[in-house]
Amino acid sequence: MPHAAKDFTHLKGALDGFSDKQLDAHFTLYGGYVAKLNEIEEKLKTADRSKANYTFNEFSELKRRECTAFNGTYLHQLYFENLSGKGGEPSDALKRMATAAFGSWDAYIADLKGSAGSTPGWVLTTKNRIDGSLHNYVMYEHHIGLPAHQEVVLALDCWEHAFFIDYGVKKADYLGAFLKNVNWTEVNKRLAALPA
Ligand SMILES: [Fe+2]
């Protein structure tokens, strides 16, 4: 099934601390991942599976990059969807779970920031289906580092492309801007949709 990039241009001008130039560059990159996902899935239909090889083979390379393009597509979608500029408030259920997992809401935010400082890729706040608890996991690239059995509640893009135009090397300032613009209503909704 061909994947389609969603239109997030409504975020331009709506996010305090995110320039149109920064967002346009990010939307372009996002569109590139969607295009590559479609290209990989199309080529996989006919690539010769019989010569798969760890060192090099077309089918093998496509399989090795399939998840990069998939997560590059859908992590960006989750990221842009959990930004709105309108903020909202974390629900009582989200605060309760964050407090149970991290000790307090502020400790959760501190852990999120620390996790962001620890990766050039992604931080995902997830509900772990094994222990039923919230976790912050760091990912490299788009596909490396996420444990199994996770439901994504919040996606934070820590790739330099997400902030370098606006913040250069000041990643902490980007994190502050991100947190000012989180669409907690969307995060609350994701959490509420999960099994208890
Ligand atoms: Fe990104």
Side-chain angles (χ1 to χ4, degrees):
M1 179 192 76
H3 303 268
K6 283 193 168 182
D7 181 4
F8 291 107
T9 53
H10 62 277
L11 294 177
K12 289 166 67 175
L15 304 182
D16 182 14
F18 289 72
S19 69
D20 287 358
K21 191 175 176 189
Q22 178 69 71
L23 287 170
D24 277 333
H26 211 168
F27 296 151
T28 300
L29 283 164
Y30 161 56
Y33 290 115
V34 178
K36 281 295 170 189
L37 177 58
N38 286 326
E39 181 183 343
I40 287 170
E41 290 191 350
E42 190 60 32
K43 287 182 174 171
L44 276 170
K45 290 178 185 171
T46 54
D48 183 0
R49 288 136 170 81
S50 68
K51 300 283 195 300
N53 184 279
Y54 180 68
T55 304
F56 175 76
N57 168 265
E58 184 192 13
F59 173 80
S60 302
E61 285 302 311
L62 289 165
K63 292 306 290 180
R64 285 192 274 262
R65 301 308 290 174
E66 182 181 18
C67 188
T68 305
F70 186 90
N71 283 5
T73 295
Y74 288 104
L75 289 180
H76 276 111
Q77 192 170 305
L78 287 164
Y79 169 76
F80 291 127
E81 284 173 351
N82 64 217
L83 284 173
S84 72
K86 296 186 183 115
E89 291 295 326
S91 66
D92 288 345
L94 178 59
K95 282 185 173 172
R96 216 170 26 245
M97 286 198 69
T99 298
F102 297 94
S104 67
W105 179 257
D106 288 348
Y108 159 65
I109 295 296
D111 192 273
L112 188 72
K113 288 180 175 175
S115 300
S118 307
T119 180
W122 290 87
V123 179
L124 303 180
T125 300
T126 70
K127 184 175 181 184
N128 181 316
R129 290 192 295 272
I130 298 299
D131 62 12
S133 184
L134 293 185
H135 292 255
N136 288 323
Y137 288 116
V138 303
M139 297 177 72
Y140 285 74
E141 258 210 78
H142 295 297
H143 63 307
I144 301 169
L146 185 66
H149 297 293
Q150 306 303 317
E151 299 284 1
V152 178
V153 175
L154 177 139
L156 166 52
D157 192 339
C158 294
W159 284 66
E160 287 183 344
H161 69 234
F163 61 86
F164 215 79
I165 291 172
D166 285 342
Y167 295 101
V169 297
K170 294 179 180 170
K171 189 175 183 180
D173 290 354
Y174 160 65
L175 296 175
F178 172 81
L179 286 167
K180 268 198 296 188
N181 289 283
V182 171
N183 183 351
W184 291 111
T185 304
E186 172 66 20
V187 176
N188 297 339
K189 194 175 75 180
R190 290 176 190 164
L191 184 66
L194 298 176

